[in-house]
Amino acid sequence: MRLGGPARYVIEIEKPDDIPKAYNFAHKNNLPVFILGYGANTIGHDEGFEGVIIINRMCGIELLSEGVAALEGDPKMFCEAKILGREKSRQDPLHIKIMGGEYWDNVVAFACERGLTGIEALSKIPGLAGAAPVQNIGAYGQEIADTLVEIEVYDTATNTFKTLQKSDLHFSYRKSLLNTTEKGRYFVISITLALKKGQMPRPFYNSIERYIAENNCTDFTPQGIREIVSKIRADKLPDPLTTPSAGSFFKNIYLNDEEARLAEQKGYPVYRGHDGNKINSGWLIEQAGFKGALLHGIRVNDKAALVLINESAKSYQDLASARSEIVNKVYDKFGYRLEQEPEEITT
Ligand code: EPU
Protein backbone atom coordinates (compact mmCIF):
# COMPACT_ATOMS: atom_id res chain seq x y z
CA MET A 1 0.00 0.00 0.00
CA ARG A 2 3.11 2.23 0.16
CA LEU A 3 2.33 3.31 3.70
CA GLY A 4 4.20 2.94 6.96
CA GLY A 5 7.55 3.92 8.43
CA PRO A 6 11.02 2.33 8.29
CA ALA A 7 12.24 -0.87 9.87
CA ARG A 8 15.17 -0.80 12.32
CA TYR A 9 16.89 -3.85 10.73
CA VAL A 10 16.37 -5.96 7.62
CA ILE A 11 18.13 -9.32 7.26
CA GLU A 12 18.07 -11.20 3.97
CA ILE A 13 18.37 -14.98 4.19
CA GLU A 14 20.51 -16.52 1.45
CA LYS A 15 21.08 -19.99 2.93
CA PRO A 16 19.41 -22.00 5.72
CA ASP A 17 22.29 -21.35 8.14
CA ASP A 18 21.51 -17.63 8.02
CA ILE A 19 18.14 -18.24 9.70
CA PRO A 20 19.32 -19.17 13.23
CA LYS A 21 21.91 -16.38 12.99
CA ALA A 22 19.18 -13.84 12.22
CA TYR A 23 17.03 -15.00 15.13
CA ASN A 24 20.03 -15.04 17.49
CA PHE A 25 20.78 -11.46 16.54
CA ALA A 26 17.19 -10.43 17.28
CA HIS A 27 17.14 -12.39 20.51
CA LYS A 28 20.43 -10.96 21.79
CA ASN A 29 19.22 -7.45 21.11
CA ASN A 30 15.78 -8.13 22.51
CA LEU A 31 14.10 -7.17 19.23
CA PRO A 32 10.88 -8.52 17.73
CA VAL A 33 11.03 -10.33 14.37
CA PHE A 34 8.68 -10.06 11.42
CA ILE A 35 9.02 -12.38 8.41
CA LEU A 36 8.29 -10.45 5.23
CA GLY A 37 7.61 -12.07 1.86
CA TYR A 38 7.22 -9.87 -1.19
CA GLY A 39 5.25 -7.33 0.82
CA ALA A 40 2.29 -7.47 -1.54
CA ASN A 41 -0.16 -8.37 1.20
CA THR A 42 1.44 -6.56 4.12
CA ILE A 43 0.85 -3.12 5.59
CA GLY A 44 3.28 -1.10 7.68
CA HIS A 45 2.39 1.28 10.50
CA ASP A 46 3.35 4.96 10.52
CA GLU A 47 5.78 4.59 13.43
CA GLY A 48 7.77 1.94 11.53
CA PHE A 49 9.06 -1.29 13.06
CA GLU A 50 11.58 -1.27 15.93
CA GLY A 51 12.72 -4.78 15.21
CA VAL A 52 14.18 -7.16 12.65
CA ILE A 53 12.49 -7.84 9.32
CA ILE A 54 13.66 -11.15 7.86
CA ILE A 55 13.28 -11.78 4.12
CA ASN A 56 13.75 -15.15 2.43
CA ARG A 57 16.00 -14.77 -0.62
CA MET A 58 16.50 -18.51 -1.24
CA CYS A 59 15.18 -19.29 -4.72
CA GLY A 60 14.87 -22.36 -6.95
CA ILE A 61 12.41 -24.94 -8.23
CA GLU A 62 13.28 -28.65 -8.24
CA LEU A 63 11.46 -31.65 -9.69
CA LEU A 64 11.33 -34.49 -7.16
CA SER A 65 11.13 -38.22 -7.79
CA GLU A 66 7.49 -39.14 -7.36
CA GLY A 67 5.27 -39.66 -10.30
CA VAL A 68 7.57 -38.79 -13.09
CA ALA A 69 5.19 -40.87 -15.14
CA ALA A 70 2.68 -38.14 -15.20
CA LEU A 71 5.12 -36.83 -17.76
CA GLU A 72 4.97 -39.67 -20.15
CA GLY A 73 4.71 -38.37 -23.66
CA ASP A 74 6.20 -35.04 -22.70
CA PRO A 75 9.77 -35.04 -23.98
CA LYS A 76 10.69 -31.87 -22.12
CA MET A 77 9.59 -33.21 -18.77
CA PHE A 78 10.91 -36.63 -19.44
CA CYS A 79 14.36 -35.23 -20.11
CA GLU A 80 14.36 -33.22 -16.93
CA ALA A 81 13.25 -36.24 -14.96
CA LYS A 82 16.00 -38.32 -16.51
CA ILE A 83 18.58 -35.70 -15.71
CA LEU A 84 17.49 -35.98 -12.11
CA GLY A 85 18.00 -39.74 -12.39
CA ARG A 86 14.43 -40.65 -11.45
CA GLU A 87 12.46 -43.78 -12.05
CA LYS A 88 9.36 -43.62 -14.18
CA SER A 89 6.18 -44.64 -12.37
CA ARG A 90 2.71 -44.34 -13.82
CA GLN A 91 0.12 -43.02 -11.40
CA ASP A 92 1.52 -40.63 -8.86
CA PRO A 93 1.45 -36.90 -9.14
CA LEU A 94 4.70 -35.13 -9.72
CA HIS A 95 6.21 -33.43 -6.73
CA ILE A 96 7.99 -30.12 -7.10
CA LYS A 97 9.97 -28.45 -4.36
CA ILE A 98 10.18 -24.67 -4.37
CA MET A 99 12.40 -22.50 -2.22
CA GLY A 100 10.41 -19.98 -0.19
CA GLY A 101 12.06 -16.93 -1.76
CA GLU A 102 10.97 -17.86 -5.30
CA TYR A 103 8.43 -15.51 -6.83
CA TRP A 104 5.09 -17.36 -6.76
CA ASP A 105 4.10 -16.65 -10.33
CA ASN A 106 7.37 -18.23 -11.58
CA VAL A 107 6.19 -21.43 -9.92
CA VAL A 108 2.84 -21.29 -11.73
CA ALA A 109 4.62 -20.55 -15.04
CA PHE A 110 6.98 -23.51 -14.45
CA ALA A 111 4.06 -25.89 -13.83
CA CYS A 112 1.92 -24.63 -16.72
CA GLU A 113 4.75 -24.80 -19.25
CA ARG A 114 5.04 -28.48 -18.38
CA GLY A 115 1.30 -29.17 -18.64
CA LEU A 116 0.92 -29.69 -14.90
CA THR A 117 -2.45 -28.87 -13.36
CA GLY A 118 -3.19 -27.81 -9.77
CA ILE A 119 -2.07 -24.20 -9.49
CA GLU A 120 -2.90 -22.64 -12.88
CA ALA A 121 -5.84 -20.65 -11.41
CA LEU A 122 -3.39 -19.13 -8.93
CA SER A 123 -1.64 -17.29 -11.78
CA LYS A 124 -0.44 -13.74 -11.23
CA ILE A 125 -0.95 -13.68 -7.47
CA PRO A 126 1.80 -11.36 -6.29
CA GLY A 127 4.05 -12.72 -3.55
CA LEU A 128 6.66 -15.32 -2.67
CA ALA A 129 6.23 -19.09 -2.64
CA GLY A 130 7.07 -19.23 1.08
CA ALA A 131 4.13 -16.96 1.87
CA ALA A 132 1.66 -19.01 -0.18
CA PRO A 133 0.85 -21.58 2.54
CA VAL A 134 0.87 -18.98 5.32
CA GLN A 135 -2.43 -17.48 4.21
CA ASN A 136 -3.46 -20.40 1.99
CA ILE A 137 -3.59 -18.32 -1.19
CA GLY A 138 -6.66 -19.00 -3.29
CA ALA A 139 -8.35 -17.80 -6.48
CA TYR A 140 -10.79 -19.05 -9.11
CA GLY A 141 -11.59 -22.30 -7.35
CA GLN A 142 -8.10 -23.41 -6.39
CA GLU A 143 -6.13 -22.87 -3.20
CA ILE A 144 -2.64 -23.96 -2.34
CA ALA A 145 -3.98 -26.36 0.31
CA ASP A 146 -5.28 -28.52 -2.60
CA THR A 147 -1.78 -29.37 -3.83
CA LEU A 148 0.57 -28.75 -0.92
CA VAL A 149 2.34 -31.84 0.44
CA GLU A 150 4.79 -30.52 3.01
CA ILE A 151 6.94 -27.55 3.94
CA GLU A 152 10.43 -27.27 5.35
CA VAL A 153 10.69 -24.76 8.17
CA TYR A 154 12.96 -23.40 10.83
CA ASP A 155 11.18 -23.73 14.18
CA THR A 156 12.04 -20.75 16.37
CA ALA A 157 10.51 -22.41 19.45
CA THR A 158 12.96 -25.31 19.38
CA ASN A 159 15.73 -23.83 17.19
CA THR A 160 15.53 -26.78 14.82
CA PHE A 161 14.91 -27.43 11.14
CA LYS A 162 11.73 -29.47 10.57
CA THR A 163 9.32 -30.73 7.96
CA LEU A 164 5.61 -30.06 8.51
CA GLN A 165 3.05 -32.11 6.61
CA LYS A 166 -0.07 -30.61 5.08
CA SER A 167 -2.20 -32.13 7.88
CA ASP A 168 -0.09 -30.25 10.46
CA LEU A 169 -0.98 -26.94 8.87
CA HIS A 170 -4.77 -26.85 9.54
CA PHE A 171 -5.70 -25.06 6.35
CA SER A 172 -8.97 -23.17 5.92
CA TYR A 173 -10.05 -20.08 3.96
CA ARG A 174 -7.03 -17.72 4.00
CA LYS A 175 -5.81 -19.39 7.18
CA SER A 176 -3.27 -21.93 8.37
CA LEU A 177 -1.39 -22.74 11.56
CA LEU A 178 1.25 -20.30 10.29
CA ASN A 179 -0.93 -17.18 10.56
CA THR A 180 -3.08 -18.26 13.51
CA THR A 181 -2.11 -20.40 16.50
CA GLU A 182 1.61 -20.54 15.65
CA LYS A 183 1.98 -17.17 13.99
CA GLY A 184 5.63 -16.11 13.74
CA ARG A 185 6.96 -19.43 15.06
CA TYR A 186 8.06 -21.00 11.77
CA PHE A 187 10.23 -19.57 9.00
CA VAL A 188 9.26 -21.28 5.72
CA ILE A 189 12.33 -22.51 3.85
CA SER A 190 10.66 -24.47 1.04
CA ILE A 191 7.30 -25.84 -0.03
CA THR A 192 6.55 -29.08 -1.89
CA LEU A 193 3.54 -29.40 -4.19
CA ALA A 194 1.99 -32.45 -5.88
CA LEU A 195 0.83 -31.63 -9.41
CA LYS A 196 -0.60 -33.79 -12.14
CA LYS A 197 -0.46 -33.84 -15.87
CA GLY A 198 -3.94 -32.86 -17.05
CA GLN A 199 -6.57 -30.16 -16.85
CA MET A 200 -8.81 -28.57 -14.23
CA PRO A 201 -12.22 -30.26 -13.99
CA ARG A 202 -15.24 -28.44 -15.41
CA PRO A 203 -17.30 -26.45 -14.60
CA PHE A 204 -14.66 -23.85 -13.87
CA TYR A 205 -15.16 -20.96 -11.45
CA ASN A 206 -17.97 -18.60 -12.56
CA SER A 207 -15.86 -15.78 -13.84
CA ILE A 208 -13.67 -18.17 -15.86
CA GLU A 209 -16.75 -19.74 -17.48
CA ARG A 210 -18.11 -16.27 -18.23
CA TYR A 211 -14.83 -15.21 -19.83
CA ILE A 212 -14.69 -18.39 -21.92
CA ALA A 213 -18.23 -17.84 -23.21
CA GLU A 214 -17.62 -14.19 -24.04
CA ASN A 215 -14.28 -14.80 -25.76
CA ASN A 216 -14.86 -18.22 -27.35
CA CYS A 217 -11.82 -19.72 -25.62
CA THR A 218 -10.98 -23.34 -26.41
CA ASP A 219 -7.66 -23.96 -24.68
CA PHE A 220 -8.26 -25.31 -21.18
CA THR A 221 -4.80 -26.76 -20.65
CA PRO A 222 -2.96 -25.34 -17.63
CA GLN A 223 -1.30 -22.83 -19.97
CA GLY A 224 -4.69 -21.88 -21.47
CA ILE A 225 -6.30 -21.35 -18.05
CA ARG A 226 -3.23 -19.38 -16.97
CA GLU A 227 -3.78 -17.01 -19.89
CA ILE A 228 -7.50 -16.65 -19.13
CA VAL A 229 -6.92 -15.98 -15.42
CA SER A 230 -4.14 -13.51 -16.25
CA LYS A 231 -6.51 -11.57 -18.50
CA ILE A 232 -9.38 -11.59 -15.97
CA ARG A 233 -7.03 -10.34 -13.27
CA ALA A 234 -5.44 -7.69 -15.48
CA ASP A 235 -8.91 -6.32 -16.33
CA LYS A 236 -10.00 -6.08 -12.73
CA LEU A 237 -7.09 -5.96 -10.32
CA PRO A 238 -4.47 -3.23 -10.14
CA ASP A 239 -0.84 -4.23 -10.74
CA PRO A 240 0.77 -3.86 -7.30
CA LEU A 241 4.08 -2.87 -8.93
CA THR A 242 2.60 0.30 -10.37
CA THR A 243 -0.50 0.90 -8.22
CA PRO A 244 -0.20 0.67 -4.44
CA SER A 245 -2.71 -1.95 -3.32
CA ALA A 246 -2.81 -5.15 -1.30
CA GLY A 247 -5.29 -6.99 -3.56
CA SER A 248 -8.51 -7.89 -1.76
CA PHE A 249 -8.54 -5.74 1.35
CA PHE A 250 -11.28 -7.74 3.10
CA LYS A 251 -12.07 -11.42 3.35
CA ASN A 252 -15.32 -12.77 1.98
CA ILE A 253 -18.02 -13.62 4.53
CA TYR A 254 -18.49 -17.34 5.18
CA LEU A 255 -21.82 -18.40 6.73
CA ASN A 256 -23.08 -21.58 8.33
CA ASP A 257 -26.23 -23.14 6.85
CA GLU A 258 -28.61 -21.32 9.18
CA GLU A 259 -26.93 -17.95 8.57
CA ALA A 260 -26.99 -18.62 4.83
CA ARG A 261 -30.72 -19.36 4.95
CA LEU A 262 -31.37 -16.09 6.80
CA ALA A 263 -29.20 -14.17 4.33
CA GLU A 264 -31.12 -15.62 1.39
CA GLN A 265 -34.42 -14.69 3.04
CA LYS A 266 -33.18 -11.11 3.08
CA GLY A 267 -32.39 -11.40 -0.64
CA TYR A 268 -28.59 -11.37 -0.33
CA PRO A 269 -26.68 -13.40 -2.95
CA VAL A 270 -25.21 -16.47 -1.24
CA TYR A 271 -22.83 -18.75 -3.16
CA ARG A 272 -22.86 -22.36 -2.04
CA GLY A 273 -19.50 -23.76 -3.01
CA HIS A 274 -17.44 -26.78 -1.99
CA ASP A 275 -15.69 -24.54 0.52
CA GLY A 276 -18.92 -23.40 2.24
CA ASN A 277 -21.58 -20.70 1.90
CA LYS A 278 -20.23 -17.32 1.01
CA ILE A 279 -21.36 -13.76 0.52
CA ASN A 280 -18.95 -11.70 -1.58
CA SER A 281 -17.70 -8.80 0.47
CA GLY A 282 -17.18 -6.91 -2.81
CA TRP A 283 -20.95 -7.04 -3.28
CA LEU A 284 -21.58 -5.77 0.27
CA ILE A 285 -19.18 -2.85 -0.24
CA GLU A 286 -20.74 -2.05 -3.60
CA GLN A 287 -24.26 -2.14 -2.12
CA ALA A 288 -23.11 0.13 0.71
CA GLY A 289 -22.34 2.68 -2.02
CA PHE A 290 -18.53 2.68 -1.88
CA LYS A 291 -17.60 1.32 -5.31
CA GLY A 292 -15.26 3.89 -6.91
CA ALA A 293 -15.35 6.18 -3.83
CA LEU A 294 -12.31 8.11 -2.57
CA LEU A 295 -12.02 8.01 1.23
CA HIS A 296 -9.10 9.74 2.97
CA GLY A 297 -6.96 9.26 -0.16
CA ILE A 298 -7.93 5.59 -0.46
CA ARG A 299 -9.79 4.63 -3.65
CA VAL A 300 -12.30 1.80 -3.56
CA ASN A 301 -11.58 0.08 -6.88
CA ASP A 302 -14.36 0.74 -9.40
CA LYS A 303 -14.01 -2.74 -10.95
CA ALA A 304 -13.74 -4.85 -7.79
CA ALA A 305 -14.90 -3.10 -4.64
CA LEU A 306 -12.98 -5.53 -2.43
CA VAL A 307 -9.75 -3.92 -3.56
CA LEU A 308 -8.50 -0.68 -2.01
CA ILE A 309 -5.88 1.45 -3.75
CA ASN A 310 -3.67 4.06 -2.14
CA GLU A 311 -4.24 7.03 -4.42
CA SER A 312 -3.21 9.94 -2.19
CA ALA A 313 -3.28 8.70 1.42
CA LYS A 314 -0.45 10.11 3.51
CA SER A 315 -0.43 7.71 6.41
CA TYR A 316 -1.57 4.40 7.82
CA GLN A 317 -4.04 6.50 9.80
CA ASP A 318 -5.74 7.59 6.54
CA LEU A 319 -6.12 3.96 5.57
CA ALA A 320 -7.49 3.10 9.02
CA SER A 321 -10.08 5.89 8.70
CA ALA A 322 -11.18 4.66 5.26
CA ARG A 323 -11.37 1.11 6.58
CA SER A 324 -13.55 2.15 9.54
CA GLU A 325 -15.99 3.98 7.30
CA ILE A 326 -16.41 0.93 5.08
CA VAL A 327 -16.58 -1.60 7.91
CA ASN A 328 -19.07 0.46 9.91
CA LYS A 329 -21.41 1.20 7.02
CA VAL A 330 -21.44 -2.42 5.84
CA TYR A 331 -22.13 -3.51 9.41
CA ASP A 332 -24.96 -1.02 9.87
CA LYS A 333 -26.56 -1.98 6.57
CA PHE A 334 -26.09 -5.76 6.59
CA GLY A 335 -24.97 -6.84 10.07
CA TYR A 336 -21.73 -8.45 8.79
CA ARG A 337 -18.39 -7.35 10.17
CA LEU A 338 -15.78 -7.26 7.40
CA GLU A 339 -12.44 -8.73 8.35
CA GLN A 340 -9.19 -7.35 6.94
CA GLU A 341 -7.28 -9.67 4.62
CA PRO A 342 -3.73 -8.22 4.40
CA GLU A 343 -1.42 -8.61 7.34
CA GLU A 344 0.02 -5.74 9.36
CA ILE A 345 3.62 -5.43 10.49
CA THR A 346 3.29 -5.49 14.26
CA THR A 347 5.33 -6.86 17.13
N1 EPU B 1 -18.87 -8.69 -6.59
C1 EPU B 1 -19.70 -7.59 -6.63
N2 EPU B 1 -19.12 -6.35 -6.61
C2 EPU B 1 -17.77 -6.17 -6.58
C3 EPU B 1 -16.93 -7.29 -6.53
C4 EPU B 1 -17.51 -8.55 -6.55
O1 EPU B 1 -20.90 -7.70 -6.69
O2 EPU B 1 -17.34 -5.01 -6.57
C5 EPU B 1 -19.47 -10.04 -6.61
C6 EPU B 1 -19.84 -10.45 -8.01
O3 EPU B 1 -21.03 -11.21 -7.92
C7 EPU B 1 -18.71 -11.32 -8.44
C8 EPU B 1 -18.39 -12.01 -7.14
O4 EPU B 1 -18.55 -10.97 -6.16
O5 EPU B 1 -19.08 -12.22 -9.45
C9 EPU B 1 -17.02 -12.61 -7.04
O6 EPU B 1 -16.05 -11.66 -7.34
P1 EPU B 1 -14.57 -12.16 -7.74
O7 EPU B 1 -14.62 -13.35 -8.56
O8 EPU B 1 -13.82 -10.96 -8.22
O9 EPU B 1 -13.96 -12.62 -6.39
P2 EPU B 1 -13.84 -11.97 -4.95
O10 EPU B 1 -14.67 -12.75 -4.02
O11 EPU B 1 -14.05 -10.49 -5.00
C10 EPU B 1 -11.85 -13.53 -4.33
C11 EPU B 1 -10.48 -13.42 -3.73
C12 EPU B 1 -9.49 -12.87 -4.73
C13 EPU B 1 -9.48 -13.81 -5.92
C14 EPU B 1 -10.89 -13.88 -6.51
C15 EPU B 1 -11.01 -14.85 -7.64
C16 EPU B 1 -10.82 -13.06 -1.37
C17 EPU B 1 -10.74 -12.10 -0.23
N3 EPU B 1 -10.53 -12.57 -2.56
O12 EPU B 1 -12.28 -12.21 -4.63
O13 EPU B 1 -8.22 -12.85 -4.13
O14 EPU B 1 -8.55 -13.37 -6.91
O15 EPU B 1 -11.80 -14.34 -5.48
O16 EPU B 1 -11.09 -16.14 -7.15
O17 EPU B 1 -11.12 -14.24 -1.16
C18 EPU B 1 -6.76 -11.46 -2.85
O18 EPU B 1 -6.94 -12.23 -1.92
O19 EPU B 1 -6.00 -10.45 -2.75
C19 EPU B 1 -7.48 -11.69 -4.09
C20 EPU B 1 -7.41 -10.82 -5.09
Coordinates of all heavy atoms in Angstrom, one line a residue, residues 41 138-141 173-174 205 207 210 233 236-237 246-248 250-252 271 278 280 282-283 286 291 303-306 341, ligand 1:
N41 N 1.1 -8.2 0.4 CA -0.2 -8.4 1.2 C 0.1 -8.0 2.6 O -0.4 -8.5 3.6 CB -0.6 -9.8 1.1 CG -2.1 -10.0 1.4 OD1 -2.9 -9.3 0.8 ND2 -2.4 -10.9 2.3
G138 N -5.6 -18.4 -2.5 CA -6.7 -19.0 -3.3 C -7.2 -18.1 -4.3 O -7.2 -16.8 -4.1
A139 N -7.7 -18.6 -5.4 CA -8.3 -17.8 -6.5 C -9.0 -18.8 -7.5 O -8.4 -19.8 -7.7 CB -7.4 -16.9 -7.2
Y140 N -10.1 -18.3 -8.0 CA -10.8 -19.0 -9.1 C -10.9 -20.6 -8.9 O -10.6 -21.4 -9.8 CB -10.1 -18.7 -10.4 CG -10.0 -17.3 -10.6 CD1 -8.8 -16.6 -10.4 CD2 -11.1 -16.5 -11.0 CE1 -8.7 -15.2 -10.5 CE2 -11.0 -15.1 -11.1 CZ -9.8 -14.5 -10.9 OH -9.7 -13.1 -11.0
G141 N -11.3 -20.9 -7.6 CA -11.6 -22.3 -7.4 C -10.4 -23.2 -6.9 O -10.6 -24.3 -6.6
Y173 N -10.0 -21.3 4.8 CA -10.1 -20.1 4.0 C -9.1 -19.0 4.5 O -9.3 -18.4 5.5 CB -11.5 -19.6 3.9 CG -11.6 -18.2 3.2 CD1 -11.3 -18.1 1.8 CD2 -12.1 -17.1 3.9 CE1 -11.5 -16.9 1.2 CE2 -12.2 -15.9 3.3 CZ -11.9 -15.8 1.9 OH -12.0 -14.5 1.3
R174 N -8.1 -18.7 3.7 CA -7.0 -17.7 4.0 C -6.4 -17.9 5.4 O -5.8 -17.0 6.0 CB -7.6 -16.3 3.9 CG -8.1 -15.9 2.6 CD -6.9 -15.8 1.6 NE -7.2 -15.0 0.4 CZ -7.7 -15.5 -0.7 NH1 -8.0 -16.7 -0.8 NH2 -7.9 -14.7 -1.7
Y205 N -14.6 -22.1 -12.3 CA -15.2 -21.0 -11.5 C -16.0 -20.0 -12.4 O -15.6 -19.8 -13.5 CB -13.9 -20.3 -10.8 CG -14.2 -19.3 -9.8 CD1 -14.4 -19.7 -8.4 CD2 -14.2 -17.9 -10.0 CE1 -14.6 -18.7 -7.4 CE2 -14.4 -17.0 -9.0 CZ -14.6 -17.4 -7.7 OH -14.8 -16.5 -6.8
S207 N -16.4 -16.8 -13.0 CA -15.9 -15.8 -13.8 C -15.0 -16.3 -15.0 O -14.9 -15.7 -16.0 CB -15.1 -14.7 -13.0 OG -14.3 -15.3 -12.1
R210 N -17.6 -17.5 -17.6 CA -18.1 -16.3 -18.2 C -17.1 -15.8 -19.3 O -17.5 -15.5 -20.4 CB -18.4 -15.2 -17.2 CG -19.6 -14.3 -17.5 CD -19.9 -13.3 -16.4 NE -20.0 -13.9 -15.1 CZ -19.4 -13.5 -14.0 NH1 -18.5 -12.5 -14.0 NH2 -19.5 -14.1 -12.8
R233 N -7.6 -11.1 -14.4 CA -7.0 -10.3 -13.3 C -6.6 -9.0 -13.8 O -6.8 -8.0 -13.1 CB -5.8 -11.1 -12.7 CG -6.3 -12.3 -11.9 CD -5.0 -13.0 -11.2 NE -4.6 -12.1 -10.1 CZ -4.8 -12.4 -8.8 NH1 -5.5 -13.4 -8.4 NH2 -4.3 -11.6 -7.9
K236 N -9.3 -6.5 -13.9 CA -10.0 -6.1 -12.7 C -9.1 -5.6 -11.6 O -9.5 -4.8 -10.8 CB -10.8 -7.3 -12.3 CG -12.2 -7.1 -12.0 CD -13.0 -8.3 -11.8 CE -12.4 -9.2 -10.8 NZ -13.4 -10.2 -10.4
L237 N -7.9 -6.2 -11.5 CA -7.1 -6.0 -10.3 C -5.9 -5.1 -10.7 O -5.3 -5.3 -11.7 CB -6.6 -7.3 -9.7 CG -7.6 -8.3 -9.3 CD1 -7.0 -9.6 -8.9 CD2 -8.3 -7.7 -8.0
A246 N -3.1 -3.8 -1.9 CA -2.8 -5.2 -1.3 C -3.8 -6.2 -1.8 O -4.1 -7.2 -1.1 CB -2.9 -5.1 0.2
G247 N -4.3 -6.0 -3.0 CA -5.3 -7.0 -3.6 C -6.6 -6.8 -2.8 O -6.9 -5.7 -2.3
S248 N -7.3 -8.0 -2.6 CA -8.5 -7.9 -1.8 C -8.2 -7.3 -0.4 O -7.3 -7.9 0.3 CB -9.1 -9.3 -1.6 OG -9.5 -9.8 -2.8
F250 N -10.5 -7.0 2.1 CA -11.3 -7.7 3.1 C -11.5 -9.2 2.7 O -11.4 -9.5 1.5 CB -12.6 -7.1 3.2 CG -12.6 -5.6 3.7 CD1 -12.7 -4.6 2.8 CD2 -12.3 -5.3 5.0 CE1 -12.6 -3.2 3.2 CE2 -12.2 -4.0 5.5 CZ -12.4 -3.0 4.6
K251 N -11.7 -10.0 3.7 CA -12.1 -11.4 3.4 C -13.5 -11.5 3.0 O -14.3 -10.6 3.4 CB -11.9 -12.3 4.6 CG -10.4 -12.4 5.0 CD -10.3 -13.3 6.2 CE -8.8 -13.2 6.7 NZ -8.6 -14.0 7.9
N252 N -13.9 -12.5 2.2 CA -15.3 -12.8 2.0 C -16.0 -13.3 3.3 O -15.3 -13.7 4.2 CB -15.5 -13.8 0.8 CG -15.3 -13.1 -0.5 OD1 -15.8 -12.0 -0.8 ND2 -14.5 -13.8 -1.4
Y271 N -23.4 -17.7 -2.3 CA -22.8 -18.8 -3.2 C -22.6 -20.0 -2.3 O -22.0 -19.9 -1.3 CB -21.5 -18.3 -3.8 CG -21.7 -17.1 -4.7 CD1 -21.7 -15.8 -4.2 CD2 -22.0 -17.3 -6.1 CE1 -22.0 -14.7 -5.0 CE2 -22.2 -16.2 -6.9 CZ -22.2 -14.9 -6.4 OH -22.4 -13.9 -7.2
K278 N -21.0 -18.6 1.0 CA -20.2 -17.3 1.0 C -21.0 -16.2 0.5 O -21.8 -16.3 -0.5 CB -18.9 -17.6 0.2 CG -18.4 -16.4 -0.5 CD -17.1 -16.8 -1.2 CE -17.2 -16.8 -2.7 NZ -15.9 -17.0 -3.4
N280 N -20.1 -12.5 -1.1 CA -19.0 -11.7 -1.6 C -18.9 -10.3 -0.9 O -19.9 -9.5 -1.0 CB -19.0 -11.5 -3.1 CG -18.6 -12.8 -3.8 OD1 -19.5 -13.5 -4.3 ND2 -17.3 -13.2 -3.7
G282 N -17.2 -7.9 -1.8 CA -17.2 -6.9 -2.8 C -18.6 -6.4 -3.1 O -18.9 -5.3 -3.3
W283 N -19.5 -7.4 -3.1 CA -20.9 -7.0 -3.3 C -21.5 -6.2 -2.1 O -22.1 -5.2 -2.3 CB -21.8 -8.3 -3.4 CG -23.2 -8.1 -3.7 CD1 -23.8 -7.8 -4.9 CD2 -24.3 -8.1 -2.7 NE1 -25.2 -7.6 -4.7 CE2 -25.5 -7.8 -3.4 CE3 -24.3 -8.2 -1.3 CZ2 -26.7 -7.7 -2.7 CZ3 -25.6 -8.1 -0.6 CH2 -26.7 -7.9 -1.4
E286 N -20.1 -2.7 -2.5 CA -20.7 -2.0 -3.6 C -22.1 -1.6 -3.2 O -22.5 -0.4 -3.4 CB -20.8 -3.0 -4.8 CG -21.3 -2.4 -6.0 CD -21.4 -3.4 -7.2 OE1 -20.7 -4.4 -7.2 OE2 -22.1 -3.1 -8.2
K291 N -18.4 1.7 -4.1 CA -17.6 1.3 -5.3 C -17.1 2.6 -6.0 O -17.9 3.5 -6.3 CB -18.5 0.5 -6.2 CG -17.7 -0.3 -7.2 CD -18.5 -1.4 -7.9 CE -17.7 -2.3 -8.8 NZ -18.4 -3.4 -9.3
K303 N -13.7 -1.5 -10.3 CA -14.0 -2.7 -10.9 C -14.2 -3.9 -10.0 O -15.0 -4.8 -10.2 CB -12.9 -3.1 -11.9 CG -12.8 -2.1 -13.0 CD -11.9 -2.7 -14.1 CE -11.7 -1.6 -15.2 NZ -10.3 -1.3 -15.4
A304 N -13.6 -3.8 -8.8 CA -13.7 -4.9 -7.8 C -13.7 -4.1 -6.5 O -12.6 -3.7 -6.0 CB -12.7 -5.9 -7.9
A305 N -14.8 -4.0 -5.8 CA -14.9 -3.1 -4.6 C -14.2 -3.7 -3.4 O -14.0 -3.0 -2.4 CB -16.4 -2.8 -4.3
L306 N -13.7 -4.9 -3.5 CA -13.0 -5.5 -2.4 C -11.5 -5.0 -2.4 O -10.8 -5.3 -1.4 CB -13.0 -7.0 -2.7 CG -12.8 -8.0 -1.5 CD1 -13.7 -7.6 -0.3 CD2 -13.1 -9.4 -1.9
E341 N -8.0 -8.5 5.2 CA -7.3 -9.7 4.6 C -5.8 -9.5 4.7 O -5.1 -10.4 5.2 CB -7.8 -9.9 3.2 CG -7.5 -11.3 2.6 CD -6.3 -11.3 1.8 OE1 -5.8 -10.3 1.3 OE2 -5.8 -12.4 1.5
Ligands
EPU1 N1 -18.9 -8.7 -6.6 C1 -19.7 -7.6 -6.6 N2 -19.1 -6.4 -6.6 C2 -17.8 -6.2 -6.6 C3 -16.9 -7.3 -6.5 C4 -17.5 -8.6 -6.5 O1 -20.9 -7.7 -6.7 O2 -17.3 -5.0 -6.6 C5 -19.5 -10.0 -6.6 C6 -19.8 -10.4 -8.0 O3 -21.0 -11.2 -7.9 C7 -18.7 -11.3 -8.4 C8 -18.4 -12.0 -7.1 O4 -18.6 -11.0 -6.2 O5 -19.1 -12.2 -9.4 C9 -17.0 -12.6 -7.0 O6 -16.0 -11.7 -7.3 P1 -14.6 -12.2 -7.7 O7 -14.6 -13.3 -8.6 O8 -13.8 -11.0 -8.2 O9 -14.0 -12.6 -6.4 P2 -13.8 -12.0 -5.0 O10 -14.7 -12.8 -4.0 O11 -14.0 -10.5 -5.0 C10 -11.8 -13.5 -4.3 C11 -10.5 -13.4 -3.7 C12 -9.5 -12.9 -4.7 C13 -9.5 -13.8 -5.9 C14 -10.9 -13.9 -6.5 C15 -11.0 -14.8 -7.6 C16 -10.8 -13.1 -1.4 C17 -10.7 -12.1 -0.2 N3 -10.5 -12.6 -2.6 O12 -12.3 -12.2 -4.6 O13 -8.2 -12.8 -4.1 O14 -8.5 -13.4 -6.9 O15 -11.8 -14.3 -5.5 O16 -11.1 -16.1 -7.2 O17 -11.1 -14.2 -1.2 C18 -6.8 -11.5 -2.9 O18 -6.9 -12.2 -1.9 O19 -6.0 -10.5 -2.7 C19 -7.5 -11.7 -4.1 C20 -7.4 -10.8 -5.1

